[in-house]
Amino acid sequence: MANTYHQIYIQLIFAVQGRHSLLKKEFRQDFFKVISSMIKELGHFPIIVNGMSDHVHCLVGLNPNKKISDLVKDLKTNSSHFLKDKKWVPGSFKWQNGYGVFSYSRSHLNNVYEYILNQEYHRKRTFKEEYLGFLKKYEIEFKEEYVFEFIQDE
């Protein structure tokens, strides 16, 4: 639509089902490039995609004409099929149900970009600690027993 302007930035976070470490280092960066391409094909602007062996962070310029839930559903479905077709993961691959989405102003993009770029720091913090930290930081009400689909502690 003419004279419609937007500036919507979100960070998506989603994990491998059961928090299994299936995104191996030898293909992870290539896989994240594929996810970035998928984001673009779905009509959004990928800024950075990175993560660890068990989860992914995507910083995205959101198209306001499209739903976040559709982006995540399509991204998870398409990336799961990609991993299956490439046979990069033994057996079947599934993403955990649900996801985290957090919004940012343009002035915070550089910090968020650096945070996502430097995911290797997770050797000091587990994904569970990181994710719960996001929920608490952004004052999102939750029940910890429902946040993750697995019982065992990390």
Side-chain angles (χ1 to χ4, degrees), residues 96-111:
Q96 180 173 304
N97 287 329
Y99 56 92
V101 61
F102 307 93
S103 61
Y104 297 94
S105 66
R106 185 167 183 81
S107 63
H108 290 102
L109 287 187
N110 192 48
N111 288 342

Side-chain angles (χ1 to χ4, degrees), residues 42-70:
L42 292 168
H44 303 278
F45 180 73
I47 299 170
I48 185 172
V49 176
N50 201 10
M52 297 295 289
S53 62
D54 60 354
H55 71 280
V56 177
H57 292 256
C58 307
L59 183 58
V60 176
L62 189 67
N63 180 334
N65 296 317
K66 299 183 181 266
K67 295 191 304 186
I68 294 170
S69 58
D70 289 343

Side-chain angles (χ1 to χ4, degrees), residues 102-150:
F102 307 93
S103 61
Y104 297 94
S105 66
R106 185 167 183 81
S107 63
H108 290 102
L109 287 187
N110 192 48
N111 288 342
V112 177
Y113 182 94
E114 290 296 321
Y115 177 85
I116 293 172
L117 180 65
N118 296 305
Q119 281 296 294
E120 292 295 325
Y121 85 94
H122 282 304
R123 294 178 187 175
K124 298 175 188 167
R125 264 188 356 167
T126 65
F127 172 70
K128 184 176 181 179
E129 291 168 334
E130 175 194 27
Y131 194 78
L132 292 175
F134 271 105
L135 296 175
K136 290 172 185 172
K137 177 181 177 181
Y138 293 100
E139 300 178 8
I140 298 171
E141 291 185 32
F142 67 95
K143 291 186 179 184
E144 190 168 341
E145 64 268 24
Y146 299 119
V147 173
F148 297 99
E149 294 176 339
F150 58 95

Side-chain angles (χ1 to χ4, degrees), residues 14 16 23-25 27-39 46 48-58 75 79 82-83 88 95 116-117 119-120:
F14 48 94
V16 174
L23 305 176
K24 300 298 180 197
K25 199 167 196 149
F27 69 78
R28 196 179 312 151
Q29 290 308 311
D30 289 335
F31 180 57
F32 293 155
K33 288 176 187 173
V34 168
I35 289 178
S36 184
S37 293
M38 289 176 182
I39 291 168
I48 185 172
V49 176
N50 201 10
M52 297 295 289
S53 62
D54 60 354
H55 71 280
V56 177
H57 292 256
C58 307
L75 201 54
S79 62
F82 178 85
L83 286 172
W88 282 353
W95 293 108
I116 293 172
L117 180 65
Q119 281 296 294
E120 292 295 325

